[in-house]
Amino acid sequence: MAERTTENYFRMLREMRDVVFSTVAEDGTPRARIIDVMLVEGEKLYFLTAVGKDFYEELMRNGRVAIAGLNSSWETIRVWGRVRNVGQDLLGRIFEENPSMNNVYPGDSRYILEVFCLEEGEGEYFCLGTEPITRHPFSFGKKTFRKKGFEITDACIGCGTCAAACPQQAIDEGSPYTIRQENCLHCGLCFRDCPAEAVIRRSGEAEQ
């Protein structure tokens, strides 16, 4: 695994190339399609679409997107956040770095395309190829990531029920017991089975 930085995670999505982009349609229903990640620069990810597509209208109306991709090593990258239409200034460079685009939009037909930049949001790296699993949340731009999953409070009675139930053995003995967040599936077994109700959902507040 490369160094844990937003740029490296974006570059993993770039290497996956064809990943799922999701938006919300005008009627409030979800939409998903396969789109290429065209360019990554620092903590900015660029993609494009034609102005006649529903995808374009959804991006312009809502200004948000969610992206997910999986590679052959069972590493998943998910990101979601705000996008900005940056016009056509990067079209030439994108076509140079993605030559297959010349076959899809030959000649001047490329000028029906406009480029979007994802530059603020949250994400998560998740790997099923390790034992236990590995996850790492991250944020970029002005966004801070929100705490998810579960934690064990001082109401813990030290019975070990949670540790015995955990499918990834990601709970360590102590007073109270503690959940290794980087190995937690967020499945909720510990939350469901704790006899003292000492396991709570994490607040969803921004991580400090």
Side-chain angles (χ1 to χ4, degrees), residues 79-144:
V79 295
W80 56 94
R82 293 186 176 277
V83 295
R84 178 169 57 92
N85 185 319
V86 296
Q88 298 182 325
D89 289 346
L90 289 172
L91 275 182
R93 182 178 170 193
I94 284 175
F95 271 66
E96 288 176 4
E97 298 197 17
N98 302 270
S100 63
M101 289 297 297
N102 290 288
N103 299 322
V104 182
Y105 289 96
D108 288 345
S109 66
R110 71 174 61 179
Y111 295 109
I112 197 63
L113 300 166
E114 292 184 5
V115 181
F116 287 82
C117 175
L118 175 64
E119 58 186 358
E120 178 181 315
E122 300 175 74
E124 183 177 66
Y125 166 85
F126 185 88
C127 182
L128 284 169
T130 59
E131 294 184 4
I133 61 93
T134 304
R135 73 184 328 133
H136 179 243
F138 60 96
S139 60
F140 50 98
K142 298 178 181 179
K143 190 73 173 177
T144 54

Side-chain angles (χ1 to χ4, degrees), residues 165-191:
C166 180
Q168 291 294 309
Q169 298 299 292
I171 299 179
D172 296 326
E173 185 177 354
S175 182
Y177 276 55
T178 56
I179 300 171
R180 296 194 308 277
Q181 297 298 329
E182 68 273 18
N183 304 128
C184 177
L185 279 171
H186 296 175
C187 69
L189 270 172
C190 57
F191 177 77

